[in-house]
Amino acid sequence: QVQFVESGGGLVQPGGSLRLSCAVSGSLYNMGWFRQAPGKQRELVAGITVFGSTNYADSVKGRFTISRDNAKNTAYLQMNSLKSEDTAVYYCNYRIPTPYWGRGTQVIVSS
């Protein structure tokens, strides 16, 4: 079964930046970054197709950038101008998610 291993989270001040990485045990297909804040449902924040087309949730548009490196089987999420409401556990999966979620990486935006 495919495995997703997320990394790169941490504590950052508002306005700061983080770059998340997602190592995939199998091939990269259409990929997605998701997040789940405390008490909320998991939501899609960014997606990227095998052709490189991207889409973003309105809440992160203009601040987050999703990318991929097929040779490394890795997807990335560059997050700039972070806000407190971006605090969540971030996960990657295929754009149409498999049941095989990783542990995620915690992002805390706080002063």
Side-chain angles (χ1 to χ4, degrees):
Q1 68 193 42
V2 64
Q3 291 183 327
F4 304 95
V5 180
E6 302 91 349
S7 62
L11 173 63
V12 63
Q13 292 187 341
S17 297
L18 283 173
R19 188 192 193 208
L20 307 184
S21 298
C22 170
V24 183
S25 63
S27 299
L28 297 189
Y29 296 107
N30 293 341
M31 299 299 301
W33 277 98
F34 303 78
R35 69 184 179 188
Q36 187 166 20
K40 294 188 177 181
Q41 288 190 331
R42 187 150 40 199
E43 62 173 348
L44 175 71
V45 295
I48 185 167
T49 71
V50 294
F51 304 109
S53 297
T54 59
N55 66 284
Y56 299 92
D58 287 344
S59 58
V60 307
K61 211 171 282 186
R63 300 188 298 121
F64 290 10
T65 303
I66 188 172
S67 61
R68 60 193 291 149
D69 185 333
N70 294 331
K72 295 182 178 179
N73 284 6
T74 301
Y76 303 96
L77 186 67
Q78 177 67 43
M79 307 187 297
N80 298 329
S81 302
L82 282 161
K83 305 176 181 180
S84 58
E85 50 262 46
D86 295 318
T87 294
V89 179
Y90 285 72
Y91 303 87
C92 70
N93 205 314
Y94 293 140
R95 175 61 182 82
I96 305 298
T98 73
Y100 310 114
W101 293 94
R103 294 184 176 183
T105 186
Q106 175 79 59
V107 172
I108 299 174
V109 184
S110 175
S111 55

